[in-house]
Amino acid sequence: MEAKRPTLEDVGRAAGVSRATASRVITGAHRVSEPTRNRVWRAVEQLGYHPDLAARALARGRNDVIDLIIIDEDAGQVGSNPYYSRVVSGILSALAGTETQMRTHVIDEPEAPTRLDDVARIVEVGALLINVPPELAARFSARCDRVVSLGLSAPHVPSIEAENAAGARAAVEHLYRTGRRKVVAVHGKPNNSCATGRRSGFASASIDAGHEPIGAEGGFCLEAGVTGTQQLLADHPDLDGIFAACDLTAMGVLRALNESGRRVPDDVALVGFDDSFLASVATPAMTSVRQPVEHMAAMATRALLADETGPSWHRVEPAPLQIRRSSAA
Amino acid sequence: MEAKRPTLEDVGRAAGVSRATASRVITGAHRVSEPTRNRVWRAVEQLGYHPDLAARALARGRNDVIDLIIIDEDAGQVGSNPYYSRVVSGILSALAGTETQMRTHVIDEPEAPTRLDDVARIVEVGALLINVPPELAARFSARCDRVVSLGLSAPHVPSIEAENAAGARAAVEHLYRTGRRKVVAVHGKPNNSCATGRRSGFASASIDAGHEPIGAEGGFCLEAGVTGTQQLLADHPDLDGIFAACDLTAMGVLRALNESGRRVPDDVALVGFDDSFLASVATPAMTSVRQPVEHMAAMATRALLADETGPSWHRVEPAPLQIRRSSAA
DNA sequence: CTGTTAGCGCTTTCAG
DNA sequence: CTGAAAGCGCTAACAG
């Protein structure tokens, strides 16, 4: 049953050439004659040959693997964050057709420093950092270039992020343009670079619209949305538009609004950030600033594969507004 | 900078033993004397030695990798399904502390047959099948034992699933017990084993409660929930309880109810299935039958690691009801 | 253009 | 209990 997998030697024999030549055609080196190449490929087909990745890795001294590194307060919670699976999806799509694989490390917040050092040592093609705070990212990147942070990080850590400020600005402008009078915000944590970008975009757009920025401290979670909104409602009962730091927060806002008896969008318009599937699943469907997570993860992956990252590699991707019912005029 | 990683040879030298002995202590073979063992471990610490996985894989003839195989109608969509990330989370938690890694394959529906054959050939420790239809799973398992399907599959394919029927039954009983008079369902696709289990649980519980089972065909997606509910509402305006095949479907139900002007739970009570984070994020928070996805994925992973799967390996895990606001009396 | 020859770092008989 | 030696399957000089 368990027939042994064919090796390069077998392929060579079947094609009447040496193992080395077979290797050359398979790895795409072009120092091989047309007819030989054909014979080798035919043998490959025939035998159903697939290279042994471990052997190749050992011989090349490098394993074709991209490391995805996620820090989470509670590793068990990763399942409930739509962001992560979008990242995975993006990486995988960039890897499709490549021999390169993705390796996932989910690290508990407390053990992050140690584990990160361990992982830095074994990175091969490159690593994507998700939710790794700037200090740790800087430390990681000192041990291992070939790294990209999703979201702005420490200065010399290569990164790719969405236009957080511009996206938030667009959201606020949209709300005022469609007739809202008092737009407030539930922000993210102050130490999160994405959150601060959105916060400043909100602030400047508010000022430009002739309003003083009003916002509640929050976080990228449901509870923050709920309590933030309750407080805003108490302090500013006349608010009629809310910008939430992310979709999850926005779901909390939605709940608090519902519980306070206000209707969305009739009484209060709502805009989230991320445009994750939560936005389309919410009732009413939620207007949200689209963060092209899959695309950013794919870009980062491709940059890593092409080895074109470096301390000055930084990308900022557009974050267009997706308009849905929750902000209907 | 880029100091070469220490090898077993280095460790051996530092400990004053041969490479072979060093290997023995590290792999846990116990044919080594206490003092020698200690010296080797000390050398390991000191040098910060970590085994080269590729070399080990080559020497052992087996790579310590678990393959996660997901089929999706549209590989780009994987990012928007909370189920997948729960699976990943479960696998990773079972792998924590092991040298074993997880490898992810997302396969587009149309290329499934081919790609599946390719993957079956390279499976090492074992593979987890997600959303792989029975025929394909059977074919896969013919090429490679060491596989577990998440969700019931073809007869001889090892599988682990939740108590779908019992869970659905509990949901229906709960609704009638808390005073509802007419409980209907939005089902999943008839060719999905989880969906059919829930469907039959719904049916038998309805009958036991003295009602004829009423349900709409649907699917595990938002749209199915919306249209299914609209139809049910049209045919049975007096319904006051809905059981949805999964949380995503339930979100659709919620939307349709809202748009029809019914309030949840006052006019209609709603119960979903999965108890994914969607359930807690919905407004109102949703009662849902908990499918212990992380736990099931972890169990499957552990069984694969221990090599205790086989054609008759089947597990059924309890699916307890999580009661929340959407079904409040 | 192609074959020969060394290893990559580790595990695993086989002797001692 | 420990060392020596033979590969695992592949790539990469180095010759021809």
Side-chain angles (χ1 to χ4, degrees):
Chain A
M1 201 67 234
E2 187 82 15
K4 247 185 50 206
R5 283 174 53 175
T7 76
L8 253 195
E9 193 74 52
D10 300 328
V11 173
R13 195 174 314 122
V17 298
S18 75
R19 169 172 36 129
T21 301
S23 169
R24 284 193 192 96
V25 0
I26 283 166
T27 52
H30 36 234
R31 309 302 221 92
V32 184
S33 76
E34 182 80 37
T36 314
R37 228 182 306 160
N38 292 148
R39 265 182 305 145
V40 171
W41 278 123
R42 213 167 305 133
V44 167
E45 295 280 300
Q46 201 179 102
L47 274 59
Y49 169 82
H50 285 261
D52 178 312
L53 274 352
R56 171 178 285 180
L58 184 54
R60 286 222 259 248
R62 163 181 280 213
N63 200 345
D64 283 344
V65 172
I66 291 276
D67 290 279
L68 166 61
I69 304 172
I70 298 175
I71 294 190
D72 209 86
E73 291 171 26
D74 175 1
Q77 291 293 14
V78 171
S80 53
N81 194 325
Y83 185 79
Y84 298 137
S85 36
R86 293 180 72 186
V87 172
V88 169
S89 168
I91 296 176
L92 255 24
S93 77
L95 255 32
T98 322
E99 294 277 14
T100 306
Q101 315 256 8
M102 179 189 71
R103 197 158 54 180
T104 310
H105 313 259
V106 177
I107 302 182
D108 266 329
E109 179 102 65
E111 10 177 89
T114 330
R115 293 279 319 275
L116 238 25
D117 282 0
D118 288 351
V119 178
R121 211 182 336 245
I122 65 164
V123 168
E124 309 271 356
V125 176
L128 254 81
L129 267 30
I130 314 291
N131 198 23
V132 176
E135 324 80 66
L136 289 177
R139 177 182 173 128
F140 186 96
S141 121
R143 282 171 177 57
C144 163
D145 41 351
R146 302 197 302 269
V147 59
V148 174
S149 163
L150 241 72
L152 189 59
S153 185
H156 294 301
V157 179
S159 71
I160 184 164
E161 59 170 337
E163 285 191 324
N164 288 299
R169 163 175 283 284
V172 176
E173 287 170 351
H174 161 70
L175 288 170
Y176 281 120
R177 195 179 328 115
T178 54
R180 305 292 163 172
R181 302 293 178 132
K182 185 162 191 175
V183 176
V184 304
V186 179
H187 298 300
K189 290 262 167 60
N191 63 357
N192 178 305
S193 72
C194 296
T196 54
R198 295 169 200 175
R199 183 186 298 245
S200 72
F202 169 80
S204 72
S206 298
I207 291 169
D208 288 357
H211 299 265
E212 199 191 340
I214 297 173
E217 291 308 311
F220 289 170
C221 61
L222 187 81
E223 296 68 34
V226 174
T227 59
T229 304
Q230 287 166 342
Q231 184 196 314
L232 287 166
L233 245 22
D235 298 346
H236 309 274
D238 57 330
L239 66 82
D240 63 357
I242 300 187
F243 167 68
C246 82
D247 285 349
L248 204 48
T249 312
M251 293 302 278
V253 173
L254 214 47
R255 179 176 297 176
L257 288 172
N258 255 282
E259 288 173 353
S260 83
R262 331 241 162 167
R263 292 176 313 158
V264 177
D266 310 273
D267 303 325
V268 178
L270 172 62
V271 179
F273 203 115
D274 272 351
D275 194 33
S276 68
F277 82 109
L278 275 182
S280 52
V281 143
T283 299
M286 202 159 64
T287 297
S288 187
V289 180
R290 174 153 196 85
Q291 184 172 24
V293 180
E294 294 86 350
H295 176 241
M296 293 190 301
M299 277 196 68
T301 304
R302 276 191 286 265
L304 253 16
L305 287 174
D307 195 20
E308 55 189 36
T309 62
S312 65
W313 194 92
H314 293 285
R315 296 283 183 281
V316 181
E317 296 298 308
L321 189 65
Q322 276 301 333
I323 298 178
R324 298 203 183 77
R325 281 255 345 229
S326 74
S327 68
Chain B
M1 202 63 235
E2 186 82 17
K4 248 184 52 209
R5 283 174 51 175
T7 77
L8 252 196
E9 192 73 53
D10 300 328
V11 173
R13 195 174 314 122
V17 297
S18 74
R19 167 170 38 130
T21 301
S23 169
R24 283 193 192 94
V25 0
I26 283 166
T27 53
H30 36 233
R31 306 303 219 92
V32 184
S33 75
E34 181 81 36
T36 315
R37 229 182 305 159
N38 291 148
R39 264 181 305 144
V40 171
W41 279 123
R42 213 167 307 132
V44 167
E45 294 280 300
Q46 199 179 104
L47 274 59
Y49 170 81
H50 286 262
D52 178 313
L53 275 351
R56 169 177 286 179
L58 184 54
R60 286 222 257 249
R62 165 183 277 213
N63 200 344
D64 283 343
V65 171
I66 292 275
D67 289 280
L68 166 62
I69 305 174
I70 299 174
I71 295 191
D72 209 86
E73 291 172 25
D74 175 1
Q77 291 293 13
V78 171
S80 52
N81 194 323
Y83 184 78
Y84 298 136
S85 35
R86 293 180 71 185
V87 172
V88 168
S89 167
I91 297 176
L92 256 23
S93 77
L95 257 31
T98 322
E99 294 278 13
T100 306
Q101 316 257 6
M102 179 190 71
R103 198 158 53 180
T104 311
H105 313 258
V106 178
I107 302 183
D108 266 328
E109 180 101 66
E111 10 176 271
T114 330
R115 292 281 317 276
L116 239 25
D117 283 359
D118 289 351
V119 177
R121 211 183 337 246
I122 64 164
V123 168
E124 310 271 356
V125 177
L128 255 82
L129 266 31
I130 314 291
N131 198 24
V132 175
E135 324 82 64
L136 289 177
R139 176 183 173 128
F140 187 96
S141 121
R143 283 171 176 58
C144 163
D145 41 350
R146 302 198 301 270
V147 60
V148 174
S149 164
L150 241 72
L152 188 60
S153 185
H156 294 301
V157 179
S159 70
I160 184 164
E161 59 170 338
E163 283 191 325
N164 288 298
R169 161 174 284 283
V172 175
E173 287 170 350
H174 161 70
L175 288 170
Y176 280 120
R177 195 179 328 116
T178 54
R180 303 292 163 171
R181 304 292 178 131
K182 185 164 192 173
V183 176
V184 303
V186 179
H187 298 300
K189 290 260 170 63
N191 63 357
N192 178 305
S193 73
C194 297
T196 55
R198 295 169 201 175
R199 184 187 298 245
S200 72
F202 169 80
S204 72
S206 298
I207 291 167
D208 289 357
H211 299 266
E212 198 192 341
I214 297 172
E217 291 307 312
F220 290 169
C221 61
L222 186 81
E223 296 68 35
V226 174
T227 60
T229 303
Q230 287 166 343
Q231 184 196 311
L232 287 165
L233 245 22
D235 298 347
H236 308 274
D238 57 331
L239 66 84
D240 64 357
I242 300 187
F243 167 68
C246 82
D247 286 348
L248 204 48
T249 312
M251 293 302 278
V253 173
L254 213 47
R255 179 177 296 175
L257 287 173
N258 253 283
E259 288 173 352
S260 83
R262 331 242 163 169
R263 290 176 315 159
V264 177
D266 310 272
D267 303 325
V268 178
L270 172 62
V271 179
F273 203 114
D274 272 351
D275 194 32
S276 67
F277 82 110
L278 274 182
S280 52
V281 143
T283 298
M286 202 157 66
T287 296
S288 188
V289 181
R290 174 153 197 85
Q291 184 172 24
V293 180
E294 294 86 349
H295 176 241
M296 294 191 301
M299 277 197 68
T301 304
R302 276 191 286 266
L304 253 14
L305 287 175
D307 196 20
E308 55 189 37
T309 63
S312 65
W313 193 93
H314 292 285
R315 295 285 182 281
V316 181
E317 297 298 307
L321 189 65
Q322 277 302 334
I323 298 178
R324 299 205 182 77
R325 280 255 347 230
S326 73
S327 69

